[in-house]
Amino acid sequence: MNIKIVVVGKLKEKYLKQGIAEYAKRLSKFCKFKIMEVADEKAPEKLSNSEMEQVKIVEGKRILDKIKDKEYVYALAILGKERSSEELADELQKLGTYGHSDVTFVIGGSLGLSEAVLERANTQVSFGRFTLPHQLMRLVLTEQIYRGFMINAGRTYNK
């Protein structure tokens, strides 16, 4: 299975890079894993609604350029469906079983995802109603993907 995370923006925090690198190394036993960064659109602090939409549209085009037609796409969205670790593990296993060996997760920038990205997604997933920095979300998501593979392998990590 190929797992890819497409994210907006660069990761600067060393401690987050180290955590992600550790889980990426662990994931290498189960799948091909990679993270692809796309540039975030520079924007002033105060934006009108139409300016915010324009930023999301530009970032969305960059995201969609990294997604191939055959990929099964999870968009991380606060209004998406919440799943337990076990439910995500089960979905990943079923995707692999039924021919979706290329799975992509998308994390938007600070303003969220464009409508075009949400429409391209096969499903939306929420990690709850908390607002988390998208940089931290990379680590949380990477850990949950690893946890899913461990659950599917019957390993005790998930306890």
Side-chain angles (χ1 to χ4, degrees):
M1 180 172 262
N2 299 307
I3 303 280
K4 175 171 66 179
I5 301 175
V6 178
V7 297
V8 173
K10 291 231 175 280
L11 190 59
K12 298 171 190 85
E13 296 83 355
K14 186 178 176 183
Y15 69 97
L16 292 174
K17 286 181 180 180
Q18 290 171 330
I20 291 166
E22 176 60 29
Y23 286 113
K25 183 175 82 175
R26 294 179 187 187
L27 273 166
S28 69
K29 296 177 181 110
F30 300 105
C31 66
K32 282 181 64 181
F33 176 78
K34 68 179 171 181
I35 295 178
M36 300 180 83
E37 295 177 335
V38 300
D40 56 343
E41 189 64 11
K42 299 298 177 225
E45 278 296 309
K46 300 272 186 197
L47 294 174
S48 68
N49 285 344
S50 64
E51 289 170 325
M52 284 192 265
E53 279 307 307
Q54 190 57 41
V55 167
K56 291 195 293 189
I57 288 168
V58 171
E59 290 176 348
K61 286 179 183 171
R62 292 175 186 155
I63 291 167
L64 291 171
D65 284 345
K66 302 294 182 193
I67 299 172
K68 295 181 178 68
D69 289 343
K70 66 179 181 170
E71 294 173 13
Y72 188 93
V73 177
Y74 283 86
L76 273 67
I78 209 157
L79 297 177
K81 179 184 173 202
E82 289 185 38
R83 293 158 171 84
S84 68
S85 298
E86 292 79 10
E87 288 169 330
L88 181 62
D90 186 56
E91 284 182 28
L92 290 173
Q93 188 165 43
K94 285 178 180 168
L95 287 170
T97 301
Y98 296 108
H100 293 286
S101 59
D102 296 301
V103 177
T104 298
F105 292 85
V106 178
I107 302 173
S110 58
L111 299 176
L113 293 167
S114 69
E115 279 302 312
V117 173
L118 294 173
E119 288 171 14
R120 167 57 184 90
N122 298 85
T123 189
Q124 295 179 26
V125 62
S126 172
F127 280 71
R129 293 182 4 208
F130 289 116
T131 300
L132 296 172
H134 54 280
Q135 300 91 332
L136 178 59
M137 197 62 234
R138 288 189 208 194
L139 176 60
V140 172
L141 176 59
T142 305
E143 188 279 336
Q144 283 298 301
I145 294 167
Y146 173 69
R147 182 178 296 271
F149 279 103
M150 291 297 283
I151 290 168
N152 289 338
R155 308 280 274 286
T156 58
Y157 171 82
N158 65 310
K159 302 279 186 225

